[in-house]
Amino acid sequence: MAEIDLKSTSQAQLRSGCPLWGRTGQRPVFRPLDDHLKVDVLVIGGGVTGALMGQHFTERGLLVAIVDREQPGLGSTAASTAMLQWEIDKTLAELEQFYGYERAAGIYRRSAAAVSGLAKLIAGHRIDCAFRPGQSLFLTSNQEGARDLRTEAALRERAGLPSRYLEHCDLFTEFEIDRDAGILSRGSAEADPLLLTWALLDLAFRQYARLVDASVTTLNSEGNRVTAETDGPFLIEAKTAVLATGYTMPGIDMPKLHRATSSWAMATVPQTDGTLWRDQALIWEDSHPYLYMRTTADGRIVAGGEDDETTDPSARDAKAPEKIMAIREKMKRLWPQADTTVATAWCGTFGETVDGLPLIGPVPSLPHVYGAYGYGGNGITFSYLATQMIGAMVSGGYREWFDDFAMDRDGPGGATRELAQRDVEMVGR
Ligand SMILES: Cc1cc2nc3c(=O)[nH]c(=O)nc-3n(C[C@H](O)[C@H](O)[C@H](O)COP(=O)(O)OP(=O)(O)OC[C@H]3O[C@@H](n4cnc5c(N)ncnc54)[C@H](O)[C@@H]3O)c2cc1C
């Protein structure tokens, strides 16, 4: 069976179809190197993670290079449905089972702080990316799920999180949604991920970041510096390097915590006035496979899910018609008023971890090199969290909670990963 080689994965393998984003934006220009380059921070990857990272470090006055071997933003970022949520793929109750209440509640609070930090960043720089703060609605369609959601809502209340349990009749009267129960939460948002990425790259560029069109093939860490070999004749030397290569984890043995899956999404034609649900909350269901829905500024419904373990890009693409049909049917059952006519559809590789948490922090055995891998449905929330954590780490700051997201952490039940090598090999384009 063919599998994605994550070392050499191209954007075309990571996603296909035609996402909705970036139609009004300008893609920043990345230029090839014409000499060796010396910077404070080298960011490898120009998707949303690399863009956030680059903007963060340039704002701190550091000299930054952001390198991408293909089109910035057109990897997984362009496939994202960009629901900016603090609710993690694993519920607080599940995380409590894994790691105990205090640690689980701390993780949830940091996720909530990350969404509000991202909102402040966007507002502070007046980034034009269709950003809209809002609420999210987590639904269940059976009695057992309703009991679980009640427990979940109580745990969230104890953790000080802004969630409220809704019984069937509340859901129906407040949202006209016919499900057994739900949790309504404040503090989430939505955006156009491509406009966000390009605007952040532009901000970094204006603060003197170099936007470099190259493939980093090898990273060496020696003494106090990291040297990147590229597919051209030039080297980039940096005090710190950040891997923001998305679902391509370069040359590092894949942590056992992590696995690749596939996900499918579509956008409808704009809905006629008055046919969207109240407040256009972000909606997600606890069904297997799950369904999620959001809306766009021009009144479309974006829906996705149907994840499965397909990893081969052509098998993933071949499944698209049947997956999009399933998403449309589920959408219609949940919101019968929807016009489910497909305007555009797409699919992509998706990365998950067993505990639903990202992999952020020092790459073991490779001094001064950090990984920023925001896996799961909260990928972008976690990318922002990564900028805060790696930003602190580079300044010598350390907090005990950083270990919750460490690349070499033990997963639930002691599921460990294997990461051990000095040089990170990356395969060129
Ligand atoms: C269908 C789908 C729906 C999703 N929905 C959501 C959602 O609703 N909310 C959410 O928060 N997240 C969501 N995600 C996840 C989110 O999209 C990702 O977490 C996020 O886009 C990852 O961004 P990134 O910058 O890390 O990776 P990418 O966007 O893939 O960027 C990585 C970049 O690194 C470059 N690169 C790789 N290797 C090298 C190298 N060696 N040298 C130079 N450049 C290199 C690549 O060319 C690429 O441009 C979704 C993902 C998918 C697929």
Side-chain angles (χ1 to χ4, degrees):
M1 191 184 73
E3 292 206 0
I4 291 180
D5 172 4
L6 286 165
K7 291 183 200 168
S8 59
T9 308
S10 67
Q11 291 180 340
Q13 287 171 290
L14 277 178
R15 63 164 188 88
S16 42
C18 193
L20 197 61
W21 315 118
R23 294 191 177 166
T24 56
Q26 187 99 33
R27 191 183 312 164
V29 179
F30 279 49
R31 297 190 191 287
L33 286 173
D34 51 12
D35 202 349
H36 299 305
L37 187 61
K38 226 174 176 171
V39 290
D40 296 314
V41 182
L42 164 64
V43 179
I44 304 165
V48 69
T49 312
L52 280 162
M53 217 42 95
Q55 189 278 332
H56 174 84
F57 284 113
T58 52
E59 192 159 80
R60 286 171 47 175
L62 298 177
L63 197 53
V64 174
I66 307 171
V67 185
D68 203 301
R69 62 186 176 196
E70 294 187 77
Q71 305 285 358
L74 296 190
S76 300
T77 295
S80 181
T81 42
M83 302 193 2
L84 307 175
Q85 285 179 270
W86 52 262
E87 294 163 283
I88 297 168
D89 287 349
K90 299 290 174 201
T91 60
L92 180 52
E94 285 170 310
L95 269 190
E96 183 193 29
Q97 292 267 318
F98 294 160
Y99 298 131
Y101 172 76
E102 289 304 333
R103 185 168 159 192
I107 290 167
Y108 255 75
R109 287 191 205 105
R110 288 181 226 301
S111 180
V115 179
S116 68
L118 180 57
K120 280 189 198 128
L121 175 74
I122 290 169
H125 288 282
R126 295 197 169 84
I127 295 176
D128 188 5
C129 63
F131 180 84
R132 193 180 73 90
Q135 311 189 81
S136 69
L137 197 49
F138 179 30
L139 301 173
T140 186
S141 50
N142 59 61
Q143 279 304 311
E144 193 189 337
R147 272 193 303 279
D148 289 347
L149 286 204
R150 194 184 279 280
T151 310
E152 175 71 11
L155 267 178
R156 290 187 188 186
E157 193 182 342
R158 182 175 160 207
L161 295 162
S163 291
R164 177 162 70 90
Y165 179 74
L166 299 179
E167 289 180 5
H168 174 267
C169 68
D170 301 326
L171 253 183
F172 198 73
T173 48
E174 290 185 37
F175 286 91
E176 294 174 60
I177 286 179
D178 186 13
R179 285 289 180 273
D180 282 63
I183 293 182
L184 181 65
S185 300
R186 284 181 283 114
S188 51
E190 64 192 24
D192 178 322
L194 212 42
L195 292 182
L196 172 62
T197 302
W198 290 344
L200 288 164
L201 290 171
D202 187 54
L203 280 173
F205 178 70
R206 287 168 197 275
Q207 296 283 334
Y208 312 109
R210 285 283 300 269
L211 306 182
V212 179
D213 175 12
S215 182
V216 174
T217 52
T218 308
L219 269 186
N220 292 297
S221 174
E222 202 179 339
N224 282 329
R225 62 170 199 271
V226 182
T227 308
E229 287 172 26
T230 66
D231 51 348
F234 303 113
L235 302 175
I236 306 175
E237 198 182 297
K239 293 177 188 152
T240 299
V242 181
L243 299 170
T245 51
Y247 297 147
T248 315
M249 283 196 85
I252 304 170
D253 286 341
M254 296 303 284
K256 283 186 185 153
L257 287 170
H258 167 273
R259 69 181 183 136
T261 61
S262 289
S263 192
W264 289 262
M266 58 160 280
T268 66
V269 293
Q271 305 290 306
T272 46
D273 280 350
T275 50
L276 292 173
W277 52 93
R278 203 194 90 190
D279 299 338
Q280 284 116 71
L282 309 181
I283 293 181
W284 52 305
E285 271 205 289
D286 74 346
S287 55
H288 296 286
Y290 65 87
L291 172 78
Y292 58 85
M293 304 203 301
R294 57 163 282 194
T295 59
T296 60
D298 61 353
R300 297 169 198 273
I301 299 174
V302 173
E306 288 300 303
D307 300 13
D308 73 21
E309 293 186 356
T310 310
T311 51
D312 173 58
S314 26
R316 180 193 69 209
D317 296 353
K319 286 183 176 179
E322 128 208 10
K323 295 285 188 180
I324 296 303
M325 184 66 74
I327 291 170
R328 288 180 70 185
E329 278 167 13
K330 284 187 174 176
M331 187 197 307
K332 196 77 189 167
R333 280 203 295 274
L334 183 60
W335 191 248
Q337 299 90 316
D339 176 350
T340 65
T341 309
V342 180
T344 182
W346 63 95
C347 54
T349 296
F350 201 62
E352 288 180 349
T353 54
V354 287
D355 55 10
L357 303 181
L359 302 163
I360 300 172
V363 175
S365 313
L366 208 63
H368 313 294
V369 180
Y370 298 86
Y373 293 104
Y375 286 113
N378 300 70
I380 298 173
T381 302
F382 290 148
S383 299
Y384 180 83
L385 180 68
T387 63
Q388 304 306 297
M389 289 174 57
I390 295 174
M393 288 172 188
V394 167
S395 320
Y398 168 78
R399 313 273 187 288
E400 213 171 301
W401 63 264
F402 288 173
D403 296 346
D404 295 342
F405 304 99
M407 297 188 68
D408 57 352
R409 69 179 180 269
D410 285 341
T416 51
R417 39 63 289 151
E418 290 161 348
L419 288 171
Q421 89 299 336
R422 187 154 185 80
D423 287 357
V424 177
E425 293 285 333
M426 301 194 200
V427 177
R429 63 182 139 192

